[in-house]
Amino acid sequence: MQSIENKILESLGKCGRGTVFFTDRFSRLGSAERLRKAMEVLTKRGDIVRVARGIFCYPKKTPAFLKEMGITSEYQMPSADNIASAIAKRDRIKIAPTAAHAQNLLGLSQQIVMNYVYLTDGRAKKVKLENGNQIEFKHTVARNLAFTNRLAMLITFALKDYGQEGVTDEHILRVKELLSHEKQEDIERDYPLMPEWIREILKKCYELLLSGKSYLN
């Protein structure tokens, strides 16, 4: 008879490496205590990796070229976005990265992010990760999650965190570069959700793109 551990691995194998999952995903296989022990066994064997309380990953193996660059870990850990997306899918909520996290994702900042902040239409909560970092979900009004374009949303949250006086020419040029790969009409649909000063920055960026200029003045 196949063990619970092997049944879990067989199921994960069908999902593929990199899958983030929760203990209760396998509740049909046994009691909560039996599943807890199964996760302990699989973790000790190195078959899965615990990323937070009750949250695990069926990890991808570190490619050879990364090991040659000095990466000693046998496995690649999931990103905070992968973990947050898995939580959002499980809880059936919407999320959007904000503040320094959004800036980092857009290449507007090289700051090392320790706490990943997301707006959500679900309840506010914090998830402590095994690596010492933290994912925080902050409840927000539906309007803030009504964007139809992800890039427009990320730019809005990133710039709002800087504030109008904190946005530099370098930030604007980076936004211009990002917008060069996005149709203007797709961004314009979300203009009503943005503060006026952010709309003006985006309009300026598209004017520069149309003119072929690589500078602001």
Side-chain angles (χ1 to χ4, degrees):
M1 184 177 180
Q2 193 176 29
S3 67
I4 289 181
E5 289 81 6
N6 287 339
K7 288 180 180 179
I8 291 173
L9 286 179
E10 182 178 352
S11 176
L12 292 174
K14 294 177 182 177
C15 297
R17 292 278 181 180
T19 299
V20 176
F21 65 95
F22 306 85
T23 305
D24 56 12
R25 171 176 178 162
F26 301 102
S27 58
R28 70 186 187 284
L29 298 180
S31 66
E33 179 61 20
R34 181 66 187 88
L35 286 173
R36 185 187 66 78
K37 291 181 178 179
M39 295 302 168
E40 284 185 359
V41 170
L42 293 171
T43 300
K44 287 180 180 178
R45 283 182 1 197
D47 293 320
I48 63 174
V49 176
R50 175 176 166 170
V51 296
R53 183 177 180 182
I55 307 176
F56 299 85
C57 177
Y58 184 49
K60 294 180 180 179
K61 294 186 177 181
T62 302
F65 76 92
L66 287 179
K67 290 184 178 180
E68 292 174 0
M69 294 172 62
I71 303 298
T72 58
S73 175
E74 184 179 355
Y75 296 111
Q76 290 180 286
M77 297 301 291
S79 67
D81 276 334
N82 291 149
I83 299 169
S85 295
I87 293 173
K89 184 177 181 180
R90 179 195 63 179
D91 296 346
R92 298 180 182 179
I93 58 174
K94 292 181 179 179
I95 61 171
T98 186
H101 185 26
Q103 294 160 8
N104 194 273
L105 288 172
L106 293 174
L108 292 170
S109 171
Q110 300 303 315
Q111 174 184 346
I112 297 176
V113 179
M114 298 294 290
N115 297 318
Y116 300 85
V117 182
Y118 294 82
L119 296 181
T120 179
D121 58 353
R123 66 183 181 87
K125 64 179 177 180
K126 297 179 181 180
V127 178
K128 293 183 179 180
L129 305 180
E130 289 291 307
N131 61 6
N133 294 349
Q134 177 178 275
I135 295 175
E136 181 177 3
F137 297 95
K138 290 185 175 181
H139 182 76
T140 189
V141 295
R143 175 182 171 83
N144 285 331
L145 298 171
F147 287 82
T148 60
N149 184 279
R150 177 175 170 80
L151 179 59
M153 176 185 69
L154 288 174
I155 290 174
T156 299
F157 293 149
L159 297 186
K160 281 176 70 175
D161 187 63
Y162 284 126
Q164 187 171 1
E165 300 303 320
V167 175
T168 66
D169 287 352
E170 287 75 17
H171 293 147
I172 295 175
L173 289 174
R174 174 56 182 162
V175 169
K176 169 179 167 286
E177 181 184 350
L178 291 165
L179 292 176
S180 68
H181 305 290
E182 206 78 12
K183 292 181 179 178
Q184 186 171 355
E185 55 266 32
D186 292 341
I187 297 293
E188 287 176 337
R189 292 192 187 97
D190 289 326
Y191 277 175
L193 301 173
M194 305 175 189
E196 182 180 358
W197 64 271
I198 293 180
R199 288 201 301 270
E200 292 305 314
I201 288 176
L202 269 58
K203 289 177 183 178
K204 179 65 175 178
C205 287
Y206 275 116
E207 288 175 7
L208 289 172
L209 287 168
L210 288 172
S211 68
K213 294 180 180 180
S214 58
Y215 52 88
L216 295 178
N217 297 316

